Amino acid sequence: MEIINCKECGRLFNYLSGPRICDDCKKKIEQKFQEVKEYLEKNPNASLDQIAKDNDVTVKQIKLWIREERLILSSPSPDGILCEKCGKPICTGKLCEECKKEVASGLQEAFKKPDAPAEPKKKKDNKNRMRFLDSK
């Protein structure tokens, strides 16, 4: 545990983990999140700039909530969030559906158990065979 200054208000607090903000600022941000969530329910097609302006929140904070999948936009917009892999506009998260499927299948392949190796075929050699001599 360390004592640091809050990035939002500058107050000293005991920092354990997560964002470097105090509990009071975390509560304020959570309250703003609830306001933005209610605003989006009433105005589903609002742009990020409009949401930020009407709710006194930064666009960066709204994008963070979308990346964390706490907020979902009604439709992907070019000024919104882009897939981190292919750059396609998305409604929530970090990846579009196609890239999510691609990453998931790649992980399944990586963790797939290898097939049991086939037993090597024994070569027929004459070294270990019994030999008979003709007695003529």
Side-chain angles (χ1 to χ4, degrees):
M1 184 182 320
E2 62 181 305
I3 297 174
I4 63 170
N5 289 46
C6 174
K7 286 175 70 176
E8 296 291 320
C9 66
R11 247 181 30 202
L12 287 173
F13 74 103
N14 287 330
Y15 173 72
L16 297 174
S17 65
R20 295 178 164 268
I21 55 176
C22 65
D23 288 336
D24 291 338
C25 291
K26 283 180 187 176
K27 288 176 187 173
K28 288 177 188 175
I29 290 175
E30 186 60 29
Q31 185 178 13
K32 283 290 184 184
F33 169 75
Q34 293 301 327
E35 290 174 16
V36 169
K37 186 176 173 184
E38 289 173 16
Y39 179 85
L40 278 173
E41 287 173 1
K42 295 175 185 172
N43 306 296
N45 295 323
S47 69
L48 291 181
D49 292 328
Q50 188 65 37
I51 298 167
K53 181 181 173 189
D54 291 347
N55 291 287
D56 193 32
V57 180
T58 64
V59 173
K60 181 179 178 181
Q61 182 64 55
I62 295 170
K63 285 185 176 185
L64 179 66
W65 289 329
I66 294 169
R67 288 268 183 226
E68 292 173 345
E69 295 186 0
R70 292 183 73 192
L71 286 179
I72 300 172
L73 299 175
S74 60
S75 62
S77 63
D79 68 332
I81 301 292
L82 303 176
C83 174
E84 290 183 354
K85 190 169 183 188
C86 68
K88 180 177 158 185
I90 56 176
C91 296
T92 190
K94 295 182 179 185
L95 301 172
C96 65
E97 291 303 316
E98 292 83 24
C99 291
K100 281 182 187 178
K101 288 177 186 175
E102 187 179 319
V103 168
S105 67
L107 285 173
Q108 286 177 346
E109 288 294 320
F111 288 107
K112 187 177 177 183
K113 288 185 178 180
D115 295 334
E119 289 191 30
K121 293 182 180 179
K122 294 183 179 179
K123 293 183 179 179
K124 290 185 178 180
D125 57 11
N126 293 329
K127 292 180 184 175
N128 297 328
R129 295 183 70 191
M130 186 181 268
R131 296 189 178 120
F132 296 97
L133 297 173
D134 286 334
S135 57
K136 287 187 184 180

